[in-house]
């Protein structure tokens, strides 16, 4: 049967009706409403006020975190020649620090105040003071600054010996000129003695909390609002970054020495060390008739300085150091840290393997010579 072309079908009528409805009333299924409304989802229930541990921790420490501005005067070798500028130029720097005593004692990094002729300290509440560097220790990168004030807010100090990987870590400071910046992460590792190169004397705390230039000298705190470290170094890689902090127990120890004597004291035994691997041991044994090393991982004495505490104590080249004091050691940095935990002039037991013999030597560390 042929359909009558002059009579629209029922399906055609329905489609036409739908199109007219869509044109007249907006989107299909919509009945009026505000055309500027972005969402019609029902409002969610209001959040109940509660305790945020990061906010609480920052509230405890934040008022005591300061910005440190420095001015360094440097000699311009081309000063006055051929339009080379003035003979003395000023360089400005910025870092962070935190108040540990209400009378104005501040901990920061040595590299923040190194060579500074002027030091300015600014609190989060806007107060500014002229600071004086009481002392700085480039070995551990700890410095103490003092301002003339009283009744200042103080950052509580924790116990870095109790810090464990996986705990919360919160950094406060002034990175990239942005004051009072808070970042959070976790403790990624502890006792990173090789974090910024071999031969370090600092068992760093490693964290993934974002730390940038300007954070140096600021506090790393735990979830209880206690300072557990002094932010000091970063290692950057594509897509990732690691930061390291001086454990506050070490920072407290160095600061106490600076407050008492104006400088820090470091024991010294006078050796040059090398990390040992089985491959290196095989190569040494094959080429050096005087040195027979066990094919293992460890730390070997490469050189003993003449007249040094190590020489007087009987330590020799090719000795494999196994223990310093009560600490087992596996690399040169661990030896440095263990020696640094001793005291100048007091006996320090060093266990070594020499050939097939195991020896216990008694060394008396001397004061590490100061570098100009």
């Amino acid at each position: 049967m042929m359909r009558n072309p002059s009579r629209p079908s029922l399906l055609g009528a329905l489609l036409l009706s739908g199109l007219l409805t869509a044109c007249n009333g907006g989107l299909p299924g919509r009945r009026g409403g505000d055309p500027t409304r972005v969402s019609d989802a029902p409002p969610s229930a209001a959040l109940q006020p509660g305790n945020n541990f990061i906010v609480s921790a920052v509230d405890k420490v934040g008022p005591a975190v300061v910005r440190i501005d420095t001015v360094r005067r440097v000699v311009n070798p081309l000063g006055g020649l051929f339009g080379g500028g003035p003979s003395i130029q000023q360089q400005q720097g910025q870092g962070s620090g935190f108040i540990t005593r209400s009378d104005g004692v501040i901990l920061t990094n040595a590299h923040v105040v190194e060579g500074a002729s002027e030091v300015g300290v600014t609190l989060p509440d806007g107060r500014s003071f002229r600071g004086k560097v009481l002392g700085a220790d480039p070995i551990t990168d700890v410095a103490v600054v003092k301002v003339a004030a009283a009744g200042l807010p103080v950052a509580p100090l924790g116990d870095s010996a109790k810090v464990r990987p996986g705990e919360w870590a919160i950094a406060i400071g002034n990175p990239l000129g942005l004051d009072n910046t808070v970042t959070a992460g976790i403790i990624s590792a502890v006792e990173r003695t090789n974090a910024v190169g071999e031969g370090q004397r600092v068992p760093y705390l490693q964290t993934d909390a974002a730390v940038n230039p300007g954070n140096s000298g600021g506090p790393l705190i735990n979830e209880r609002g206690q300072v557990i470290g002094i932010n000091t170094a970063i290692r950057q890689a594509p897509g990732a970054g690691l930061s390291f902090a001086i454990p506050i127990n070490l920072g407290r120890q160095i600061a106490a020495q600076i407050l008492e004597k104006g400088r820090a004291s470091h024991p010294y035994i006078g050796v040059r060390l090398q990390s040992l691997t089985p491959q290196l041991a095989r190569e040494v044994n094959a080429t050096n008739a005087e040195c027979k090393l066990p094919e293992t991982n460890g730390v070997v004495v490469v050189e003993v300085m003449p007249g040094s505490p190590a020489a007087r104590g009987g330590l020799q080249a090719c000795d494999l150091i196994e223990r310093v004091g009560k600490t087992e050691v596996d690399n040169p940095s661990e030896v440095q840290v263990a020696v640094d935990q001793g005291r100048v002039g007091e006996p320090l037991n060093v266990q070594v393997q020499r050939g097939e013999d195991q020896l216990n030597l008694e060394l008396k560390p001397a004061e590490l010579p100061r570098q100009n």
Side-chain angles (χ1 to χ4, degrees):
M1 178 184 296
M2 296 287 295
R3 290 183 180 178
N4 185 347
S6 64
R7 184 179 178 181
S9 66
L10 177 60
L11 178 59
L14 290 175
L15 289 174
L16 179 61
S17 173
L19 289 173
L20 291 175
T21 302
C23 292
N24 294 332
L27 296 175
R30 179 125 181 185
R31 294 289 189 271
D34 183 359
T36 64
R37 188 177 182 185
V38 175
S39 172
D40 59 1
S44 57
L47 295 175
Q48 297 298 317
N51 293 327
N52 183 307
F53 71 89
I54 293 180
V55 172
S56 299
V58 172
D59 285 344
K60 289 181 182 179
V61 181
V65 180
V66 302
R67 189 184 75 232
I68 297 180
D69 296 287
T70 60
V71 175
R72 298 176 177 86
R73 294 187 174 90
V74 296
V75 176
N76 179 8
L78 300 179
L81 299 175
F82 312 110
S87 58
I88 301 295
Q89 295 181 329
Q90 292 187 344
Q91 294 180 346
Q92 295 182 335
Q94 190 178 92
S96 305
F98 53 98
I99 305 169
T100 60
R101 261 182 19 198
S102 59
D103 62 350
V105 171
I106 298 167
L107 266 59
T108 185
N109 282 152
H111 76 261
V112 169
V113 296
E114 180 183 9
S117 55
E118 297 178 18
V119 176
V121 175
T122 303
L123 273 67
D125 61 14
R127 287 182 288 173
S128 296
F129 302 90
R130 180 180 294 275
K132 177 182 179 181
V133 179
L134 298 184
D137 180 40
I139 302 295
T140 58
D141 201 19
V142 174
V144 178
V145 174
K146 182 74 167 62
V147 297
L152 297 179
V154 175
L157 304 185
D159 183 358
S160 54
K162 296 180 179 179
V163 174
R164 296 293 180 267
E167 294 182 359
W168 284 99
I170 306 163
I172 311 178
N174 308 288
L176 306 174
L178 301 173
D179 293 352
N180 308 317
T181 296
V182 178
T183 57
I186 62 169
I187 297 294
S188 304
V190 298
E191 298 186 358
R192 286 293 200 204
T193 54
N194 58 350
V196 290
E198 289 286 348
Q200 299 298 309
R201 291 174 176 247
V202 178
Y204 293 101
L205 302 176
Q206 178 184 326
T207 176
D208 65 352
V211 172
N212 292 284
N215 272 115
S216 291
L220 185 71
I221 68 177
N222 60 21
E223 72 277 8
R224 296 181 294 280
Q226 300 170 326
V227 178
I228 55 175
I230 306 172
N231 294 314
T232 188
I234 56 177
R235 287 176 63 177
Q236 293 181 329
L242 303 174
S243 56
F244 301 92
I246 303 161
I248 194 58
N249 289 6
L250 177 59
R252 189 202 308 254
Q253 172 188 330
I254 299 299
Q257 294 180 18
I258 291 174
L259 289 171
E260 180 183 1
K261 305 176 182 178
R263 61 184 180 86
S265 175
H266 293 283
Y268 154 84
I269 61 173
V271 293
R272 189 159 63 91
L273 306 174
Q274 171 70 46
S275 292
L276 182 68
T277 64
Q279 177 63 30
L280 179 59
R282 285 191 291 271
E283 294 175 0
V284 171
N285 293 337
T287 58
N288 191 326
E290 298 179 359
C291 218
K292 295 302 178 184
L293 300 175
E295 297 182 3
T296 183
N297 292 306
V299 52
V300 65
V301 177
V302 175
E303 182 182 5
V304 178
M305 309 304 173
S308 66
R312 292 192 295 270
L315 203 61
Q316 298 179 7
C318 302
D319 284 348
L320 187 71
I321 299 180
E322 298 177 329
R323 183 184 296 270
V324 177
K326 297 181 180 180
T327 305
E328 292 184 1
V329 293
D330 294 316
N331 59 62
S333 293
E334 291 182 353
V335 174
Q336 292 279 33
V337 170
V339 169
D340 211 50
Q341 292 172 349
R343 293 182 178 275
V344 173
E346 295 187 5
L348 179 67
N349 183 266
V350 177
Q351 178 181 304
V352 303
Q353 183 175 343
R354 182 179 298 166
E356 297 181 355
D357 299 326
Q358 191 174 74
L359 306 176
N360 287 297
L361 306 177
E362 185 177 276
L363 280 57
K364 290 187 177 180
E367 179 75 29
L368 179 68
R370 296 179 63 82
Q371 298 179 351
N372 294 328

